[in-house]
Amino acid sequence: MAYTEKFQTLSDQAMARVDAVEPSQVDTLVGAGAILLDIRDQEEHEKSNIIGSINLSRGRLEMNIEGIIPNLNTTIICYCNANNRGALSAAALRDMGYNNAMFISGGRMAYRALTKES
């Protein structure tokens, strides 16, 4: 998908500010208590998601995250299909004080390719 230049610039800036998790690290981090946060729209999540993830769309993230994950020290791994929305979400969470917000490098597609999960 082709993104606008401004959107891609924002995404690139977010990726430079927050940590990326390699798909191979996801299961270990979740096993240690990290929360997977699917920030795609609900219909995207319903079609295909990483098992065990919580869905909170990017458009509602800042409004609703505190009611879902109140602890600012929780490790949160945001993901979308690729990188951009996941990185933007992790950066927004960092701005809100969530110290351990990160995103999956390559998103759901990279995780799926590694694990063969649909």
Side-chain angles (χ1 to χ4, degrees):
M1 173 180 222
Y3 300 114
T4 66
E5 184 178 330
K6 289 179 182 176
F7 174 76
Q8 192 60 60
T9 298
L10 280 174
S11 299
D12 291 345
Q13 290 170 348
M15 283 186 244
R17 288 194 314 125
V18 297
D19 295 329
V21 173
E22 292 302 318
S24 61
Q25 298 174 294
V26 171
D27 292 340
T28 301
L29 289 167
V30 170
I35 294 176
L36 274 172
L37 188 61
D38 183 348
I39 55 78
R40 300 173 303 147
D41 293 334
Q42 183 177 357
E43 60 272 7
E44 291 176 281
H45 178 79
E46 289 172 356
K47 254 186 191 177
S48 179
N49 61 72
I50 299 174
I51 296 170
S53 62
I54 296 170
N55 180 232
L56 178 58
S57 69
R58 174 83 183 102
R60 297 186 177 272
L61 179 67
E62 292 87 348
M63 292 184 300
N64 296 332
I65 190 65
E66 291 176 275
I68 297 168
I69 306 172
N71 184 342
L72 296 176
N73 293 313
T74 301
T75 299
I76 303 171
I77 306 170
C78 300
Y79 76 89
C80 59
N81 281 324
N83 285 307
N84 296 312
R85 291 180 290 170
L88 287 166
S89 297
L93 291 173
R94 287 279 180 105
D95 290 345
M96 292 179 73
Y98 286 89
N99 302 311
N100 300 308
M102 52 195 74
F103 69 100
I104 299 175
S105 179
R108 185 194 59 82
M109 292 187 302
Y111 181 82
R112 187 176 120 196
L114 179 71
T115 65
K116 308 295 186 232
E117 184 176 301
S118 59

